[in-house]
Amino acid sequence: MKKFFQIILGISFLFLLVGCSSQETATFTQKSGKTDVTLVYTYDKKNDTVTKFKIETTESDAISEVRKENEELFATLKGIDGVVTSITEKDGKLISSVEIDLTKNKFSTLKNSDNVFISGLIRNGYLSGDGENALFSKSKEAPIKQGFKEQTKK
């Protein structure tokens, strides 16, 4: 009986956490030649702050050349708190991704980064905001202006 109450309490707590969460995701895609680019923003809808940003590219041509370039670029990102990179091959395509956890590395810190990749994201407006936080309402403007299509949830 005690276990039963613990399970019910655990499930209730889980529903409470899920119900209070204002986390949303927005996905933007663009196809350019043989490259597909996907941007995924995870953001706190209530505060308009980006909590995670992921950029993923899928290449269907010249895999070995692109892989080498991406490995060199990703090496410059090693050791930056909250940044995770990956390179995989699937069905003859190269999938490269960079995910930045903005709860571990504040936007204000990233703005001062001398890393080419991170400064490029900020310079191009993919991460944009005021003060400490990247704001989703500002960050989503750049992909839209650059021809990305927002994917709608069905």
Side-chain angles (χ1 to χ4, degrees):
M1 192 69 158
K2 198 182 233 185
K3 288 245 187 230
F4 176 74
F5 285 117
Q6 288 175 338
I7 291 171
I8 296 298
L9 183 62
I11 292 172
S12 300
F13 184 67
L14 180 65
F15 282 120
L16 179 66
L17 286 175
V18 171
C20 293
S21 174
S22 62
Q23 292 285 313
E24 297 277 334
T25 59
T27 303
F28 298 85
T29 60
Q30 183 180 58
K31 189 172 190 87
S32 176
K34 295 186 179 198
T35 303
D36 295 335
V37 181
T38 303
L39 307 175
V40 180
Y41 292 90
T42 303
Y43 63 100
D44 183 326
K45 188 174 181 178
K46 182 179 173 186
N47 298 321
D48 188 37
T49 57
V50 177
T51 56
K52 284 188 181 174
F53 173 77
K54 180 178 182 179
I55 182 167
E56 182 176 278
T57 60
T58 303
E59 308 272 347
S60 60
D61 203 18
I63 289 177
S64 60
E65 292 173 27
V66 174
R67 183 181 191 105
K68 185 176 183 215
E69 290 171 7
N70 287 350
E71 285 173 347
E72 290 170 1
L73 177 65
F74 289 2
T76 69
L77 294 167
K78 282 193 189 231
I80 298 176
D81 195 27
V83 177
V84 178
T85 62
S86 71
I87 299 175
T88 57
E89 289 184 38
K90 183 177 180 184
D91 300 329
K93 295 181 180 185
L94 182 71
I95 303 166
S96 304
S97 71
V98 176
E99 186 171 313
I100 302 171
D101 186 340
L102 286 116
T103 62
K104 293 183 178 180
N105 207 331
K106 289 287 186 192
F107 175 66
S108 57
T109 305
L110 294 174
K111 283 193 301 188
N112 297 321
S113 175
D114 59 355
N115 181 278
V116 174
F117 183 81
I118 291 177
S119 63
L121 288 176
I122 293 168
R123 186 177 51 255
N124 290 312
Y126 293 112
L127 289 174
S128 184
D130 299 324
E132 290 287 308
N133 299 307
L135 302 176
F136 176 65
S137 59
K138 286 188 172 191
S139 297
K140 73 176 185 176
E141 291 173 4
I144 291 170
K145 285 180 184 175
Q146 294 175 14
F148 281 80
K149 302 291 182 209
E150 185 169 6
Q151 303 301 300
T152 56
K153 297 174 187 170
K154 293 179 182 182

